[in-house]
């Protein structure tokens, strides 16, 4: 059976895959291909992953398996607000896991997911280099220090209020 390759990938990604195909074990370049895609689009779509599978001559299930195994790959677009909870050692010993749980509960999403309204994406990071302020959370470019789980609803509400202010100004 002949399956048609849909052309949804940018030319430079196709060119990169073509180069990979000239190398030994082209499938070992899958992660590099997915990184390039995510850099360009911010996340991986089903359509793009299927085309990568076809072009690299690997099963689509292999591509989606890799994309879902590594938490740095995103399968959904990012929200307007990117929340990142630092899980580095200093933050972790000061309860960063509880803060992450509070965000999960409050937003109803897990790590690497985006809320249905497209407002918030939840991620974690390792040491932001400000361990003296632990535990630390960033929301877009704002850094919040010594955060407690009880402050999480307020942080979310502040972000929403910022959005309303910005929209009113426009
Ligand atoms: S461990 Fe969180 S800022 Fe260093």
């Amino acid at each position: 059976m002949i399956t048609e390759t849909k052309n949804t990938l940018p030319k430079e990604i196709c060119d990169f895959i073509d180069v990979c195909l000239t190398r030994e074990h082209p499938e070992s370049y899958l992660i590099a291909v997915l990184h390039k895609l995510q850099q360009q689009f911010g996340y991986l779509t089903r359509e793009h992953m299927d085309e990568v599978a076809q072009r690299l001559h690997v099963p689509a299930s292999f591509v989606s398996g890799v994309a879902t195994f590594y938490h740095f790959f995103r399968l959904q677009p990012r929200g307007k607000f990117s929340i990142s909870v630092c899980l580095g050692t200093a933050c972790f010993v000061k309860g960063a896991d509880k803060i992450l749980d509070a965000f999960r509960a409050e937003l109803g999403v897990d790590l690497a997911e985006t809320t249905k309204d497209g407002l918030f994406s939840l991620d974690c990071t390792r040491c932001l280099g400000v361990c003296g302020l632990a535990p630390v959370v960033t929301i877009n470019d704002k850094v919040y220090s010594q955060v407690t789980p009880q402050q999480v609803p307020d942080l979310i509400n502040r972000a929403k209020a910022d959005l309303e202010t910005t929209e009113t100004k426009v």
Side-chain angles (χ1 to χ4, degrees), residues 7 11 14 29 31 34 39 43 50 61 81 88 97 106 132:
N7 294 314
K11 185 178 179 310
C14 295
Y29 292 88
I31 288 180
L34 295 181
Q39 265 172 10
Y43 71 110
D50 286 349
S61 57
F81 295 100
D97 57 328
E106 200 67 30

Side-chain angles (χ1 to χ4, degrees), residues 86 88-91 127-131 136:
C86 178
T89 308
C91 289
C127 195
L128 295 161
V130 286
C131 307
V136 175

Side-chain angles (χ1 to χ4, degrees), residues 96-110:
D97 57 328
K98 309 276 184 313
I99 296 165
L100 182 59
D101 285 345
F103 274 112
R104 278 187 178 119
E106 200 67 30
L107 297 171
V109 293
D110 213 330

Side-chain angles (χ1 to χ4, degrees), residues 8-29:
T8 60
L9 294 176
K11 185 178 179 310
E12 58 271 26
I13 303 277
C14 295
D15 291 347
F16 180 65
I17 293 174
D18 288 343
V19 172
C20 298
L21 289 170
T22 65
R23 307 248 170 91
E24 222 178 309
H25 305 297
E27 72 281 0
S28 65
Y29 292 88

